Amino acid sequence: MGSSGGSKKQKQAAADTGGCENSSIGPTTKCKLAKGKLKIIVRRADKTTVKIGAVIVNATASPTMSRNSANKTGLADFGTVKPATYKIETELSGAMKEKYAPAAEKSVTVPPGTAVTDTIDVPPLVRLKIVLKDKTDAAISGVEWSMKDATPESATAGGDGLIDA
């Protein structure tokens, strides 16, 4: 009887691709590669501790998979997936489009037999509203204005004195 410390078996297991060398096991059975798991957490870009729900997260590596992020955790759980590099994109519904801009596309690689959790940051929309009023606290309309910093823009104040940029 032989005895082994197991280091050789550990090295073999670490290098194992699920027992597959892209060869057929039998006449009809194909070898399967080990799968991985993919989870994406959707969060605010400016406050990374705040998770965002109701965002559609697409993971594309052929075919495209979609999941909605959970309300309190921001988690979009894709479960078991093929090992691949996934293109991660977000889609926003009507109500979410008023609060956020779509996140920048990113790539996430899921190696065989590995659980991957990554984050995607959704930038909030920032709106500037200024109301022009005179000394009597009445709204001033028809005043031309322009903004030179941040987002260059110009227009005329509305009838209620509102500048909405």
Side-chain angles (χ1 to χ4, degrees), residues 90-154:
T90 57
E91 288 181 39
L92 303 171
S93 64
M96 297 303 280
K97 285 180 183 178
E98 295 176 12
K99 294 180 181 181
Y100 301 99
E105 179 185 302
K106 75 184 298 184
S107 293
V108 175
T109 301
V110 179
T114 304
V116 175
T117 301
D118 206 332
T119 58
I120 193 158
D121 295 333
V122 178
L125 293 177
V126 179
R127 298 202 55 91
L128 172 65
K129 293 185 179 189
I130 300 171
V131 177
L132 302 176
K133 295 191 174 196
D134 63 12
K135 290 180 183 180
T136 63
D137 209 24
I140 304 170
S141 66
V143 176
E144 290 185 21
W145 60 271
S146 68
M147 187 180 339
K148 295 185 172 60
D149 290 340
T151 305
E153 193 171 336
S154 64

Side-chain angles (χ1 to χ4, degrees), residues 35-119:
K35 296 198 174 193
K37 293 185 183 258
L38 177 61
K39 295 179 183 182
I40 302 294
I41 297 173
V42 181
R43 61 187 188 178
R44 280 183 63 137
D46 60 336
K47 297 178 182 176
T48 56
T49 58
V50 177
K51 308 305 186 262
I52 303 173
V55 174
I56 299 168
V57 181
N58 296 320
T60 306
S62 184
T64 297
M65 300 177 288
S66 292
R67 299 291 185 272
N68 284 335
S69 60
N71 282 334
K72 294 189 180 191
T73 63
L75 179 65
D77 190 351
F78 291 90
T80 303
V81 297
K82 295 186 306 184
T85 298
Y86 291 85
K87 178 173 72 170
I88 307 296
E89 299 174 294
T90 57
E91 288 181 39
L92 303 171
S93 64
M96 297 303 280
K97 285 180 183 178
E98 295 176 12
K99 294 180 181 181
Y100 301 99
E105 179 185 302
K106 75 184 298 184
S107 293
V108 175
T109 301
V110 179
T114 304
V116 175
T117 301
D118 206 332
T119 58

